[in-house]
């Protein structure tokens, strides 16, 4: 089973990892979402708090926009698979992740149907 974390800004992936205050956590098994995804609202943006949450929640995968090298290296050291520099809606990124086709640096087209059925 994988646990995916996506820092959010509304319907989109937060442009910067360290400024996100809304977090989505999704449990995935065999390319299928398990249970109800959780949204967590952080009290304030905190890159260290987010890294700590990732470790405490046993997150295996991270989809994010920009991330500082220090945090990237720390999370990679903690065995988190990171897809960074992703621009676009989180629902589209999640669909591509589930399909196994999301790559770091992907710029996703603006979708007119940004409502994922969970």
């Amino acid at each position: 089973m994988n646990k995916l974390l996506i820092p959010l800004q509304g319907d989109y992936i937060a442009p910067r990892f360290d400024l996100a205050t809304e977090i989505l956590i999704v449990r995935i098994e065999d390319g299928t979402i398990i249970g109800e995804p959780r949204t967590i609202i952080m009290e304030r943006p905190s890159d260290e708090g987010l890294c700590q949450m990732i470790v405490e929640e046993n997150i295996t995968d991270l989809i994010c926009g920009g991330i500082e090298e220090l945090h990237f290296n720390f999370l990679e050291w903690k065995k988190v698979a990171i897809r960074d520099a992703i621009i676009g809606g989180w629902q589209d990124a999640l669909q591509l992740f589930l399909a196994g086709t999301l790559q770091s640096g992907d710029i996703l087209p603006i979708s007119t149907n940004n409502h994922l059925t969970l």
Side-chain angles (χ1 to χ4, degrees), residues 4-7 13 61-65 81 83 86 93-94 97 102:
L4 169 68
L5 184 139
I6 307 174
I13 298 165
D61 296 271
L62 170 66
I63 295 173
C64 64
R83 286 159 190 85
I86 307 289
L94 179 55
F97 178 83
L102 186 68

Side-chain angles (χ1 to χ4, degrees), residues 35-98:
E36 195 67 32
R38 289 189 299 148
T39 302
I40 298 170
I41 306 296
M42 296 178 66
E43 196 172 298
R44 61 180 174 76
S46 170
D47 47 4
E48 291 174 6
L50 198 46
C51 285
Q52 181 178 352
M53 179 190 299
I54 288 170
V55 171
E56 288 173 359
E57 289 279 341
N58 298 312
I59 299 297
T60 59
D61 296 271
L62 170 66
I63 295 173
C64 64
I67 183 171
E68 288 188 26
E69 185 176 1
L70 174 73
H71 301 112
F72 183 96
N73 291 339
F74 171 76
L75 294 172
E76 198 172 55
W77 175 66
K78 288 292 188 177
K79 307 283 189 253
V80 176
I82 303 167
R83 286 159 190 85
D84 65 333
I86 307 289
I87 299 172
W90 69 263
Q91 296 95 336
D92 295 329
L94 179 55
Q95 290 290 6
L96 292 172
F97 178 83
L98 293 172

